[in-house]
């Protein structure tokens, strides 16, 4: 369950802040390891939900943002959240 939660938090961070770097995401997720975060980002990128932009500089700079596909998913997830709030008993 924790694994899926991380992916949702990553997506919501990218929705709210638009462009986020690795260490910023790590701060938002608090207890996540570098390896776990890296794996989640790779999975989200392979699912074409996020875009990874790497800058050729030292030290390396990498930024993540939502793809158009990811943005369309967030619209659906927001509607599910609204539905959940409206139907909470």
């Amino acid at each position: 369950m924790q694994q899926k939660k991380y992916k949702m938090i990553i997506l919501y961070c990218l929705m709210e802040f638009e462009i986020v770097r690795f260490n910023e995401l790590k701060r938002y997720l608090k207890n996540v390891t570098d390896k776990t975060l890296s794996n989640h980002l790779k999975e989200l990128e392979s699912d074409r939900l996020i875009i990874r932009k790497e800058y050729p500089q030292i030290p390396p700079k990498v930024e993540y943002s939502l793809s158009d596909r990811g943005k369309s998913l967030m619209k659906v997830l927001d509607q599910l959240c609204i539905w959940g709030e409206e139907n909470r008993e």
Side-chain angles (χ1 to χ4, degrees):
M1 178 64 179
Q2 188 74 5
Q3 301 299 319
K4 292 179 184 179
K5 178 181 167 185
Y6 284 148
K7 287 182 184 176
M8 293 298 299
I9 294 171
I10 291 168
L11 291 172
Y12 274 101
C13 281
L14 294 175
M15 182 181 75
E16 185 171 343
F17 300 109
E18 296 184 16
I19 297 174
V20 182
R21 295 183 64 186
F22 186 90
N23 285 334
E24 293 171 316
L25 284 169
K26 191 169 178 187
R27 279 194 297 274
Y28 296 130
L29 294 169
K30 298 199 186 334
N31 297 323
V32 69
T33 64
D34 286 352
K35 182 179 178 185
T36 299
L37 178 54
S38 181
N39 287 340
H40 287 310
L41 290 168
K42 286 177 186 173
E43 288 175 19
L44 290 167
E45 185 180 12
S46 72
D47 291 337
R48 298 178 303 154
L49 296 174
I50 66 171
I51 298 168
R52 180 182 189 271
K53 184 173 183 182
E54 186 173 341
Y55 296 88
Q57 66 184 49
I58 296 178
K61 178 181 176 184
V62 178
E63 295 178 336
Y64 297 92
S65 60
L66 285 177
S67 65
D68 288 340
R69 183 178 178 153
K71 290 174 186 173
S72 70
L73 173 62
M74 297 313 293
K75 292 175 187 175
V76 173
L77 294 177
D78 279 343
Q79 290 300 311
L80 283 172
C81 288
I82 291 168
W83 181 88
E85 289 294 321
E86 291 172 353
N87 291 283
R88 188 182 283 185
E89 293 182 19

